[in-house]
Amino acid sequence: MDFLPVIYLDSNATAQVDPRVVDAMMPFLRENYANPSASYRAARVVREAMDAARAQIASLLNAVPAEVVFTSCGTESNNAVIESARMFWPARAHLVIATTEHSAILEPARRWERDGGTVTRVAVRADGVVNLDRLREAVVPGQTALVSIMWANNETGVLAPMREVVEIAHEAGALVHTDAVQAMGKVPVDVQSVEVDYLSLSGHKFHAPKGVGALFVSRRVRFRPWMLGGGQEGGRRSGTENVPYIVALGKAAELMQEHLVDGTEERIRTMRDAFENRILKALPDVMVNGSRDFRLPTTSSLRFPGVEAAGMLILLDEKGLCCSAGSACHTAALHPSHVLEAMGLDAQHAASTLRFSFSRFNTMDEALAAADQVIACAKKMRLLRAQDAGPVIAL
Ligand code: PLP
């Protein structure tokens, strides 16, 4: 199958694997294939590589290596934490989440309810930031087992005031989990200064392959595993470890840590802003969804009044530009995004939203070329719409 030359602005859906990450993992597919639990020397090499990867993840989080548990993905990490919090039932069977969480939190929360627990879904403000007053009201001392609030939203990039979230939850004796799948490596995430108890991350959002993730479990708290078996990962996640991918995850974390301080994230922010500003200048009625300041440097969620995002996606795809409408799963199902609805957008506005997400593999030339394509496609869509509607043409 031939591929068009593409401009890839969909890194929140999945990010390109860094060639240095591929190089790091290959020896563990080719030569170093021993089971890390075996007793011979060949297995020791593999164990040491896993230890190194654990230290790399811990370093990115400012955690200690023993607090890192390898999993298969962000979804597994999220599910594992919600499942673990059921150890506090029946005394504490109350769960608090935000309305804008990913489905990998929303669905386990639904099961929590179906099985007899209670869930409070905390509203966000119009700018997408979780409403701390509502959070304070939601948390019930002695009853809330867990508060789970995502560090950064996958659709808008809007960040959560995690320090305040932790303070509010801990004051009420509840533990705190954060889905940091979108935040890792893009903004500083330091578990010593923001004392979350659990944190989920996923490799394919920061240039490792799909199908590997990790869960941070603070030494201060208990964790009840749901994957039982051979007792790997200190008994917290059984199953023979996916060593090549774990090595890849570690290498990707090391690179993200370097890039957080070497100006790379700033370069990405500058590209994203240039892209956004060019569009906003050419199409002054386009709006940015969510807080413009308190968000990831990589993400631009834009709504184009009067333009259907689904049609724009087709036109942009023909031009070789990859982006998404709302989040990836919503693209297939074409449901209005629950995140945009939670921010108060009506279905029509939500359906005219496109998400562009950048990474270090993009260039400024690409960002500007992409902006020109978006402007041209939006104008074309409006022209077609105006022609459909009759003689009035408003561009
Ligand atoms: N949480 C967030 C915020 C995400 O964006 C995603 C993926 O889109 C996930 C969880 C799920 O991660 P994974 O694809 O590794 O299961």
Side-chain angles (χ1 to χ4, degrees):
M1 187 174 163
D2 292 333
F3 288 102
L4 281 169
V6 294
I7 299 179
Y8 187 74
L9 297 185
D10 205 18
S11 290
N12 283 17
T14 197
Q16 180 181 338
V17 181
D18 192 301
R20 292 168 291 178
V21 167
V22 177
D23 289 345
M25 70 185 272
M26 285 315 278
F28 297 89
L29 283 169
R30 289 189 198 282
E31 299 101 30
N32 300 324
Y33 47 78
N35 187 319
S37 299
S39 56
Y40 31 80
R41 272 174 300 161
R44 201 170 64 215
V45 178
V46 176
R47 268 199 304 279
E48 284 169 2
M50 273 190 8
D51 290 346
R54 207 181 299 282
Q56 285 162 318
I57 299 287
S59 172
L60 181 58
L61 289 168
N62 198 15
V64 295
E67 294 175 312
V68 176
V69 179
F70 293 117
T71 65
S72 67
C73 59
T75 300
E76 181 191 328
S77 300
N78 283 352
N79 272 265
V81 172
I82 305 282
E83 195 59 35
S84 168
R86 288 170 71 147
M87 70 183 150
F88 299 115
W89 288 24
R92 288 171 176 262
H94 180 228
L95 172 67
V96 174
I97 63 172
T99 47
T100 48
E101 295 298 317
H102 189 271
S103 50
I105 288 292
L106 295 176
E107 290 305 319
R110 275 195 198 110
R111 182 162 63 193
W112 174 288
E113 255 170 349
R114 277 199 303 273
D115 291 351
T118 54
V119 178
T120 304
R121 294 166 181 83
V122 177
V124 297
R125 307 184 317 212
D127 64 0
V129 178
V130 68
N131 187 321
L132 292 175
D133 292 332
R134 295 287 97 77
L135 180 65
R136 258 182 223 102
E137 289 160 13
V139 178
V140 188
Q143 288 179 32
T144 307
L146 183 73
V147 172
S148 181
I149 305 286
M150 69 202 317
W151 198 296
N153 185 268
N154 44 306
E155 294 190 32
T156 58
V158 170
L159 300 166
M162 281 311 299
R163 199 184 300 275
E164 288 82 356
V165 168
V166 169
E167 238 174 65
I168 293 167
H170 282 175
E171 230 167 66
L175 296 178
V176 181
H177 166 250
T178 185
D179 174 346
V181 163
Q182 292 291 346
M184 285 311 299
K186 301 172 191 167
V187 287
V189 173
D190 179 332
V191 296
Q192 305 283 342
S193 72
V194 179
E195 291 187 314
V196 294
D197 301 298
Y198 310 101
L199 177 148
S200 302
L201 59 93
S202 172
H204 73 110
K205 309 294 186 178
F206 61 95
H207 308 294
K210 298 156 194 64
V212 64
L215 176 64
F216 159 80
V217 179
S218 162
R219 281 168 298 172
R220 297 182 305 270
V221 300
R222 287 195 294 140
F223 173 72
R224 189 176 71 176
W226 65 291
M227 289 271 282
L228 302 177
Q232 289 89 345
E233 295 297 286
R236 292 168 297 181
R237 202 276 189 180
S238 288
T240 303
E241 298 89 341
N242 184 356
V243 178
Y245 278 45
I246 287 171
V247 170
L249 189 72
K251 182 67 186 175
E254 180 193 290
L255 294 173
M256 287 311 261
Q257 196 169 0
E258 282 170 26
H259 292 318
L260 265 176
V261 292
D262 72 359
T264 301
E265 287 309 312
E266 267 324 295
R267 183 177 72 79
I268 298 171
R269 183 191 299 277
T270 308
M271 269 186 313
R272 188 273 315 268
D273 289 348
F275 165 86
E276 223 166 51
N277 288 335
R278 187 176 275 220
I279 293 175
L280 296 178
K281 192 161 172 232
L283 305 169
D285 61 341
V286 170
M287 277 164 288
V288 178
N289 292 315
S291 166
R292 282 192 82 171
D293 303 320
F294 198 50
R295 64 176 165 157
L296 294 174
T298 53
T299 306
S300 175
S301 171
L302 299 178
R303 61 181 192 276
F304 298 80
V307 175
E308 268 190 23
M312 278 280 278
L313 273 186
I314 296 169
L315 288 184
L316 290 171
D317 185 31
E318 280 169 6
K319 302 271 178 211
L321 177 61
C322 303
C323 61
S324 67
S327 72
C329 22
H330 292 130
T331 315
L334 278 181
H335 291 308
S337 146
H338 72 283
V339 174
L340 300 176
E341 272 185 342
M343 290 161 59
L345 265 66
D346 60 28
Q348 214 177 4
H349 275 122
S352 63
T353 286
L354 289 173
R355 180 192 68 184
F356 306 90
S357 42
F358 294 76
S359 82
R360 62 177 181 257
F361 289 98
N362 294 120
T363 62
M364 183 58 100
D365 284 351
E366 281 184 337
L368 297 177
D372 288 340
Q373 285 173 359
V374 170
I375 294 162
C377 287
K379 284 185 172 170
K380 188 170 173 183
M381 292 281 295
R382 285 180 177 171
L383 186 62
L384 290 173
R385 210 180 120 113
Q387 283 168 348
D388 273 356
V392 186
I393 298 182
L395 290 184

